[in-house]
Amino acid sequence: VFLLADRSMPTDDPSRDPHVHHHALAARTVVVAPRRADRPHDLTGEPASRRAAACPFCAGNESLTPPAILQVPVDRGTAWHARIIPNRYPIVEPLDGPPSARDGRPAHGVHDVDIESPAHVGSILEAEPLHWRDAWRLVRARLAMLADRGDIAWATVFKNAGSRAGASLQHLHSQLIGLDFVPPQMQAEVAAAMGTADPFGELMSWAATAGCVVATAADLVALVPPAPRQPFETWILPRSAEAFLHETSDARLEALADLTRDVVGRIDRVVAGVDFNWWLHQAPYGRHAAPVIDRWHWHLEILPRLANIAGFELGTGCHISTLGAEAAARLLRQAC
Ligand SMILES: [Zn+2]
Ligand SMILES: [Zn+2]
């Protein structure tokens, strides 16, 4: 028997509130969130159609989730295209009373679920394109709300698509997280960007020269970065600087929705059914990004999960891939 969490505590026990632990020697931050162990799983390998009745994310089952924070269209009851709800098993929580007495500090922030389809589909390739664009509109609106708050240092939207990528529920969804600190990987990117006048422009010039551009939509570029961690890792970014996704135009947002479908479709044609993660790296809010705010391009990093993250990766921070950037980009370009 594996003990994943201390189940002897009642679920509302404050000692089960999420806490942030930082290990300075390892430059590592861990959120301990015991209630995450209680969350439901439906990725059992059964066909999607057999599981829809009990799915909390399906239209008609809104009573199974907390009320929506945002929904589009707003005024059509259960005929929504996308909705954002608070995560029932958050890794960070709103500021609420004094911290409980244990190590670490309370994990403050926002953790939402973006339900990206009213129908029980598992892949963005099965979503209605218009619903999919609306899901991105909601993300933009929610990130704008978080930017205005002042207590959030950085926010992101990320997707775990498939069980190998960490998903626990089948129904198409992403997660939005706002943290009261800038996480180590973002700190490293911001520090690297400080050393170069136009780091993202250089990345795009390199990709154009090396043959690593996969596709474009409006003024967005999808490219394979120079050191892809897994075969077919792809980044999407705007050609001109834009620090935050909530500042983007309708045209760019629609291009982002369309280009994510395009790129995931290409990856799926090369490696059918592959699980993947993606996450948004927008600039930290406020003073946290001051030195790089004018040169930052928000970007979406899409990482197919073909190989395990194993001992070498965990022990060194380096990755091993079986395919280089140029070869991966060529295959993705042909896969349309
Ligand atoms: Zn569903
Ligand atoms: Zn990044």
Side-chain angles (χ1 to χ4, degrees), residues 42 51-52 55-59 61 118-121 171-172:
D42 74 357
R51 307 209 53 92
C55 172
F57 295 167
C58 277
N61 290 348
H120 194 78
V121 298
H171 191 124
L172 187 64

Side-chain angles (χ1 to χ4, degrees), residues 9 19 30-31 47 69 97 109 129 158 203 209 218 229 232 290 305 319:
M9 299 284 189
H19 279 67
V30 171
V31 180
I69 299 163
F158 65 95
L203 172 66
T209 307
R229 285 162 279 196
F232 310 112
R305 297 299 299 272
H319 290 257

Side-chain angles (χ1 to χ4, degrees), residues 109-142:
V110 168
H111 188 178
D112 299 337
V113 177
D114 182 23
I115 305 171
E116 297 159 323
S117 164
H120 194 78
V121 298
S123 163
I124 70 170
L125 302 176
E126 302 168 278
E128 289 286 333
L130 289 178
H131 296 172
W132 180 241
R133 284 181 171 186
D134 278 345
W136 278 107
R137 282 190 185 86
L138 281 193
V139 167
R140 181 176 61 177
R142 185 59 171 147

Side-chain angles (χ1 to χ4, degrees), residues 189 235 281 299 301:
E189 273 194 25
W235 290 21
H281 274 170
H299 53 279
E301 303 183 10

